[in-house]
Amino acid sequence: MTTAPSPRRQILLGALLPAFIFSVGAGAMIPILAPFAVERGATLAVAGIIAAMLPLGQILADLPAGALAARVGDRRAMLLAAGAAALGFLAAGLAPSLLTLGAAVALVGAANAVFHLARHSYLTEVTPVHQRARVLSTLGGVHRIGQFIGPFLGAGVIVLGDLRAVFALALLTAVAAGVTVLLAPEIDTRPARAPGVARAGFAQVIATHRDLLLTLGMASMLVGAIRGARQQVLPLWGEHIGLDPTTISLLFGLAGGIDMLLFYPAGKIMDRFGRLWIGVPSMICLGLAMALVPLAHSVPVLAGVAVLLGLSNGLGSGVMMTIASDIAPSDARPQFLGAWRLMQDLGIAAGPLTLAAGAALGSLAAGIWVASAMGPLASAGLLRWLPRYSVHASRRTRRAAGLE
């Protein structure tokens, strides 16, 4: 007689612990990409292109990641992603040329897309719906914690060696993440299909859910855009007002540290009251906090704004993953999540470009204010469209569906 695996063990070993370990490696690598490329003869412009290969690889892999998870299952997809990431870290550390380095970084970005999507799909399958927001908010929280710790561990290994040592650390984390997934109870998370029915393709999934993706999906893209801008706004504005790199790094770290504090309370609120109770206020607050950045011309004021940015973004931890899990069709979940993540990642890429466009046109402040407007616009989109597609939007929609 076999004992059914504990849901907590499934969640911890199947997604949360591997997510934390995987994020540590990525967090360690990101800050040293540009310096590592410059050491190997790259100009600053080329180094920037190499660093940009990470998000580019992720965007290009979003849709294929959904197809892979649908075909082999979420657990196997995570294992393949961990292996690909390990290969990418190894190739980057040993890269004989800048072209090889760029390709290796793109491979890591693609592996990151597969790993993220597969663990999201896995948790959607194994988590009871009344606990979904808490679990997915925790997933967002451990990702933030891993990326916060990673640069410090990377700095520690650099002291013991050179920049290549960071890629060795990242390689070990990728292997460790894969081993942790192997220890998790194996369940088949591939969408069930009736005999003789072909697996849904992306064109079919997108056509079936076109209205959803063009409405609620656009709100998701706006959320990604303001979050992408948030990652760059403090370094850019700090440089604009003449702060030294150390101070900018401390302010960025302060925002990142605050960002990690609210993920579990946010999940509890969403599980109890509905997703709008977190999605709407977090985006409004994030937009307001970002709008204050151009008004900060001293370190203490900018530090206060950094705290507000961290609190606002932390409040929304896991909200878009939770919404995606709520609305994903059970018979084509990975494919749908791939399309959803593509829209978010396109938004994340567009956010920094908005800031850059403002700076290029002569007003970084104007670019920041345009980006800040995406927060309230995202909130309006969620208010307008989420109740139409999700019974978990609020307690009112749950009562209307007979769930309360």
Side-chain angles (χ1 to χ4, degrees), residues 15 18-19 22 77-79 81-82 110-120 177-178 181:
F22 197 91
M78 281 190 279
L79 290 172
N112 196 41
V114 175
F115 198 88
H116 278 37
L117 183 139
R119 74 189 186 190
H120 183 187
V181 173

Side-chain angles (χ1 to χ4, degrees), residues 255-349:
I258 297 295
D259 197 351
M260 300 184 298
L261 299 179
L262 297 178
F263 64 87
Y264 192 75
K268 288 196 72 171
I269 291 171
M270 283 191 282
D271 276 333
R272 183 171 182 181
F273 298 104
R275 315 326 186 195
L276 288 175
W277 281 72
I278 288 297
V280 170
S282 67
M283 288 301 105
I284 290 176
C285 291
L286 186 56
L288 291 175
M290 189 172 293
L292 294 175
V293 170
L295 306 181
H297 292 275
S298 66
V299 172
V301 177
L302 192 56
V305 175
V307 169
L308 291 177
L309 285 169
L311 287 172
S312 301
N313 196 60
L315 180 63
S317 177
V319 63
M320 299 314 294
M321 286 192 294
T322 303
I323 290 172
S325 294
D326 290 340
I327 62 178
S330 60
D331 60 340
R333 183 181 62 250
Q335 297 96 319
F336 178 87
L337 292 179
W340 183 266
R341 286 195 63 86
L342 176 62
M343 298 193 75
Q344 280 195 282
D345 285 343
L346 288 172
I348 289 172

Side-chain angles (χ1 to χ4, degrees), residues 39-358:
E39 273 191 1
R40 271 133 196 86
T43 64
L44 287 177
V46 172
I49 292 172
I50 289 174
M53 295 304 291
L54 187 70
L56 179 61
Q58 183 162 317
I59 289 172
L60 293 176
D62 276 330
L63 293 180
L68 178 64
R71 180 174 295 276
V72 305
D74 301 324
R75 183 173 181 268
R76 292 179 183 176
M78 281 190 279
L79 290 172
L80 290 172
L87 180 61
F89 289 133
L90 178 64
L94 300 178
S97 68
L98 294 175
L99 184 62
T100 305
L101 177 60
V105 172
L107 176 60
V108 172
N112 196 41
V114 175
F115 198 88
H116 278 37
L117 183 139
R119 74 189 186 190
H120 183 187
S121 181
Y122 181 90
L123 286 178
T124 302
E125 176 68 24
V126 303
T127 305
V129 67
H130 63 279
Q131 297 177 350
R132 177 178 289 162
R134 273 169 285 183
V135 170
L136 290 175
S137 292
T138 302
L139 176 61
V142 299
H143 174 72
R144 286 165 165 82
I145 294 169
Q147 288 213 320
F148 181 77
I149 293 174
F152 293 101
L153 292 179
V157 299
I158 290 172
V159 174
L160 302 176
D162 60 11
L163 290 179
R164 292 182 188 271
V166 177
F167 292 104
L169 169 67
L171 169 62
L172 290 176
T173 62
V175 172
V179 171
T180 308
V181 173
L182 273 176
L183 296 175
E186 185 170 6
I187 60 172
D188 188 358
T189 56
R190 286 173 292 182
R193 289 183 292 144
V197 177
R199 181 181 288 109
F202 274 111
Q204 179 183 346
V205 171
I206 292 173
T208 302
H209 302 281
R210 179 182 56 190
D211 291 344
L212 186 159
L213 292 171
L214 290 176
T215 52
L216 187 58
M218 294 303 297
S220 169
M221 188 179 290
L222 288 170
V223 171
I226 192 169
R227 284 178 166 174
R230 178 199 63 85
Q231 293 175 344
Q232 299 298 327
V233 69
L234 288 175
L236 286 173
W237 188 254
E239 179 70 24
H240 178 71
I241 63 176
L243 301 184
D244 61 89
T246 301
T247 301
I248 292 172
S249 296
L250 288 173
L251 290 172
F252 190 85
L254 174 64
I258 297 295
D259 197 351
M260 300 184 298
L261 299 179
L262 297 178
F263 64 87
Y264 192 75
K268 288 196 72 171
I269 291 171
M270 283 191 282
D271 276 333
R272 183 171 182 181
F273 298 104
R275 315 326 186 195
L276 288 175
W277 281 72
I278 288 297
V280 170
S282 67
M283 288 301 105
I284 290 176
C285 291
L286 186 56
L288 291 175
M290 189 172 293
L292 294 175
V293 170
L295 306 181
H297 292 275
S298 66
V299 172
V301 177
L302 192 56
V305 175
V307 169
L308 291 177
L309 285 169
L311 287 172
S312 301
N313 196 60
L315 180 63
S317 177
V319 63
M320 299 314 294
M321 286 192 294
T322 303
I323 290 172
S325 294
D326 290 340
I327 62 178
S330 60
D331 60 340
R333 183 181 62 250
Q335 297 96 319
F336 178 87
L337 292 179
W340 183 266
R341 286 195 63 86
L342 176 62
M343 298 193 75
Q344 280 195 282
D345 285 343
L346 288 172
I348 289 172
L353 292 177
T354 303
L355 304 182

Side-chain angles (χ1 to χ4, degrees), residues 371-386:
S372 72
M374 297 177 188
L377 287 173
S379 296
L382 291 174
L383 272 173
R384 174 67 179 84
W385 298 111
L386 187 57

